[in-house]
Amino acid sequence: MVNVYIVKWSKEDAPWQRILADVLKRDYKIENCPEILRDEHGKPYFQDNPIYFNVSHSGEYLAIAVSESPVGIDIQGQKLIKDGMFKKVVQSEET
């Protein structure tokens, strides 16, 4: 199962690591957030821990996915795209 948390956020209010620590404490009963490491691609992870997580932020929103298996998440703010780009990425039967 994957749990996804999306919150209104600013880096100045709280680093994402603190929000992740709060989620782990509240929902997973992990009192102390394990050390966060990064793999060769920059993806954060916990070493020797059965909990996987991923984070993404865009504008004023932060998304955190937590799971018992490898997980990824991406959040993007809304923006208008030009009609030409829309036609390149969407099949005609999808419009």
Side-chain angles (χ1 to χ4, degrees):
M1 180 166 80
V2 176
N3 292 312
V4 176
Y5 305 85
I6 299 174
V7 295
K8 218 169 186 184
W9 172 76
S10 77
K11 292 177 190 177
E12 294 78 33
D13 290 341
W16 65 262
Q17 295 91 334
R18 190 169 111 210
I19 296 170
L20 174 62
D22 291 345
V23 165
L24 293 175
K25 187 180 224 179
R26 184 185 68 228
D27 296 345
Y28 294 87
K29 308 305 180 225
I30 297 173
E31 281 299 314
N32 297 310
C33 185
E35 180 183 5
I36 298 171
L37 304 174
R38 291 191 180 268
D39 69 14
E40 63 275 6
H41 303 291
K43 184 175 180 176
Y45 70 96
F46 299 132
Q47 189 168 355
D48 302 323
N49 193 295
I51 300 293
Y52 294 85
F53 72 97
N54 197 241
V55 297
S56 178
H57 57 85
S58 181
E60 60 183 13
Y61 289 95
L62 171 72
I64 299 176
V66 181
S67 181
E68 294 173 359
S69 59
V71 65
I73 192 164
D74 188 31
I75 187 171
Q76 295 293 319
Q78 287 184 326
K79 61 182 175 181
L80 295 175
I81 60 172
K82 295 180 179 175
D83 193 46
M85 177 59 75
F86 182 78
K87 289 179 181 176
K88 285 182 182 180
V89 298
V90 176
Q91 301 292 320
S92 60
E93 57 271 6
E94 293 179 299
T95 58

